[in-house]
Amino acid sequence: METATTYDVAIVGGGLAGLSLSIQLKRQGYSVILFEKEQYPFHKICGEYISLESWDFLNDLGVDLDSMKVPIITKLQVSSVSGKMLEHSLPLGGFGISRYRLDNTLVQIAKTQGVDILENTKVNDVTFSGDEFSIHTSLKKYQSKLVAGSYGKRSNIDIKWKRSFISAAKNKLNNYIGVKYHVKSAFPVDTIALHNFKNGYCGIVKIEDDNYNICYMTTASNLQKSNGNIKQMEAMILSQNPHLKKIFTESNVTLVTPLTISQISFDKKSQVENHVLMVGDAAGMITPLCGNGMSMALHGSKIAATLMQNFLKHTITRDEMEKQYSRQWSNVFAHRLVMGRRIQRLFGRNWLTNLFITIAKPFPGFVSYLVRQTHGNPF
Ligand SMILES: Cc1cc2nc3c(=O)[nH]c(=O)nc-3n(C[C@H](O)[C@H](O)[C@H](O)COP(=O)(O)OP(=O)(O)OC[C@H]3O[C@@H](n4cnc5c(N)ncnc54)[C@H](O)[C@@H]3O)c2cc1C
């Protein structure tokens, strides 16, 4: 069945990129529909540490971070596979908040402003013909002048469109799994820790309600070696790092089932595909150790919103909008992605992480430099 309305903008995927884009465009008076395959509120795999570069932007969208009393994070700990520790103050810092809370706050703002939000609605395809898009779901087909693809790191649409990173051979940068818990812990409230273990790293940071997020990423092969058993992998591999052993033995899990995802890819992606502007992880994913993916998703939505408005006001053509978007996206984010991939290669190996910490410890300026290379400025 086809709907009669043609929306100005259709947004596929309601994570941080899609929700923030919908709010910005609706505020400017455009008709916006957003499709999300899940039902809010829901948990996501994420380290849940957001760089302070997003603070003003989130407040401006209507997320009252001050009254939420989010924990402010000013210190970083990094440990090697064998447990050698480096402590450092963060140049800009960040805050901790669960995705359950943040995404749900944004969806409530979007709904109040009048964005049409379709939950439990998976988009199967997007087609472009006669200067208009059709968005195909199982029940209905919707029409729009513009589409944003904000459906995250890997989706059914990527497979349907045979995007190049989907067919890339499995390598060290595209075959990871992620696991997340919420726990009660005695960990410091102002610190984020990144503990290395063989072929992976694990973060811990305070979020809301006296909970802490524990989130780790490792190779799919590490899980295979542990007979596909997460608990076995944590006991045999992660706990070889004494800091992780302490965290896993002393924390009380409050989010009972660890959430897991697989086939995480950090390969290069295109920012425009079939005339759809890709935003957030769908445009390119930074390695999680940088703690910058959420800010990139939010900042990317700001770039897309401005150019989409210019197109809808007829001040630029579709072709100009697409070219300017790719160019601006690369100018702002490409360097961070490259640095993130380079740093990720250092992590998860015993001798390399020990060497890194030995060299970096006496040079705090070098650590600040590395952190700044993977982050941006307030936007
Ligand atoms: C292990 C791990 C740890 C991380 N830790 C951090 C961290 O500490 N700090 C940080 O800043 N970043 C972190 N990140 C990165 C961060 O989570 C992402 O960069 C961010 O979530 C990207 O937001 P997004 O809106 O692009 O995608 P998402 O938040 O993934 O949203 C995409 C949405 O699209 C929906 N969707 C997908 N397909 C369809 C479809 N066909 N139809 C309808 N809906 C669809 C999904 O259900 C989802 O809700 C981490 C990532 C991983 C994997």
Side-chain angles (χ1 to χ4, degrees):
M1 200 202 289
E2 197 164 317
T3 53
T5 327
T6 297
Y7 284 89
D8 289 319
V9 186
I11 299 176
V12 184
L16 296 185
L19 288 167
S20 56
L21 180 63
S22 77
I23 296 168
Q24 294 168 82
L25 290 166
K26 188 69 206 177
R27 267 187 191 167
Q28 297 303 317
Y30 297 109
S31 57
V32 183
I33 185 165
L34 181 146
F35 303 87
E36 170 52 53
K37 68 181 171 63
E38 309 291 336
Q39 181 166 359
Y40 300 101
F42 60 99
H43 288 284
K44 272 187 181 162
I45 303 278
C46 185
E48 302 183 328
Y49 163 88
I50 309 195
S51 155
L52 278 180
E53 69 201 65
S54 294
W55 183 274
D56 293 345
F57 179 73
L58 281 168
N59 272 309
D60 195 48
L61 289 181
V63 182
D64 189 353
L65 293 166
D66 280 320
S67 73
M68 286 173 152
K69 296 196 176 11
V70 290
I72 303 294
I73 314 298
T74 56
K75 293 180 193 146
L76 169 71
Q77 293 180 344
V78 182
S79 75
S80 69
V81 174
S82 58
K84 197 168 184 163
M85 180 78 96
L86 174 146
E87 294 188 79
H88 187 72
S89 55
L90 285 163
L92 182 60
F95 59 96
I97 185 168
S98 73
R99 294 298 298 273
Y100 188 90
R101 188 180 197 197
L102 181 57
D103 290 34
N104 196 41
T105 305
L106 286 170
V107 83
Q108 297 313 325
I109 296 169
K111 281 181 180 172
T112 308
Q113 296 202 346
V115 176
D116 286 349
I117 307 260
L118 299 191
E119 298 177 53
N120 295 313
T121 308
K122 186 174 182 175
V123 172
N124 298 323
D125 198 7
V126 178
T127 50
F128 182 72
S129 163
D131 215 31
E132 210 173 84
F133 289 93
S134 295
I135 300 96
H136 307 255
T137 71
S138 318
L139 292 180
K140 271 189 187 172
K141 201 162 89 179
Y142 298 81
Q143 265 65 49
S144 69
K145 296 177 194 163
L146 290 172
V147 174
S150 50
Y151 49 69
K153 55 189 91 51
R154 182 186 174 92
S155 113
N156 56 322
I157 298 173
D158 292 323
I159 295 165
K160 175 131 205 148
W161 289 358
K162 300 187 173 64
R163 291 184 80 195
S164 56
F165 74 94
I166 293 283
S167 50
K170 287 193 171 113
N171 63 48
K172 280 193 177 157
L173 279 176
N174 70 11
N175 200 20
Y176 284 92
I177 59 154
V179 178
K180 173 179 113 169
Y181 299 92
H182 285 172
V183 301
K184 299 280 182 211
S185 168
F187 192 75
V189 295
D190 60 352
T191 302
I192 178 164
L194 210 50
H195 297 298
N196 280 275
F197 59 90
K198 194 174 176 213
N199 297 328
Y201 49 86
C202 176
I204 176 163
V205 74
K206 177 141 193 321
I207 50 166
E208 67 270 13
D209 300 331
D210 290 327
N211 279 319
Y212 286 77
N213 167 301
I214 294 184
C215 185
Y216 63 84
M217 223 190 59
T218 185
T219 53
S221 66
N222 245 4
L223 185 60
Q224 279 157 13
K225 278 181 216 150
S226 314
N227 304 316
N229 184 322
I230 286 177
K231 288 285 155 213
Q232 187 179 329
M233 181 172 70
E234 287 165 0
M236 304 299 295
I237 301 176
L238 278 78
S239 295
Q240 282 174 19
N241 179 326
H243 304 288
L244 285 176
K245 186 173 186 178
K246 187 170 155 59
I247 287 169
F248 277 104
T249 28
E250 292 179 4
S251 306
N252 295 316
V253 176
T254 51
L255 181 65
V256 179
T257 324
L259 292 168
T260 51
I261 40 163
S262 57
Q263 292 183 302
I264 303 170
S265 162
F266 305 106
D267 289 342
K268 251 182 144 175
K269 294 178 181 173
S270 51
Q271 282 73 55
V272 181
E273 197 89 50
N274 298 335
H275 303 284
V276 172
L277 300 198
M278 298 294 168
V279 195
D281 283 356
M285 187 176 175
I286 191 163
T287 49
L289 65 90
C290 304
N292 205 244
M294 289 193 271
S295 288
M296 284 178 54
L298 294 165
H299 193 166
S301 81
K302 188 170 179 179
I303 299 172
T306 307
L307 292 170
M308 284 179 155
Q309 282 172 58
N310 291 345
F311 171 80
L312 291 166
K313 284 190 283 193
H314 306 290
T315 55
I316 53 173
T317 64
R318 188 180 293 281
D319 187 49
E320 284 166 342
M321 175 190 70
E322 292 175 10
K323 286 193 175 123
Q324 286 181 27
Y325 181 66
S326 296
R327 199 165 45 239
Q328 288 185 27
W329 198 97
S330 296
N331 285 346
V332 177
F333 301 122
H335 179 70
R336 279 182 232 183
L337 292 177
V338 170
M339 290 306 287
R341 281 187 215 118
R342 283 189 189 154
I343 298 171
Q344 169 122 334
R345 287 199 178 95
L346 289 177
F347 275 51
R349 293 196 228 168
N350 196 12
W351 69 273
L352 255 181
T353 49
N354 269 324
L355 183 70
F356 169 76
I357 286 170
T358 309
I359 293 173
K361 225 171 174 170
F363 299 106
F366 175 61
V367 180
S368 294
Y369 166 81
L370 283 183
V371 175
R372 276 199 296 270
Q373 295 307 299
T374 56
H375 286 69
N377 296 317
F379 49 91

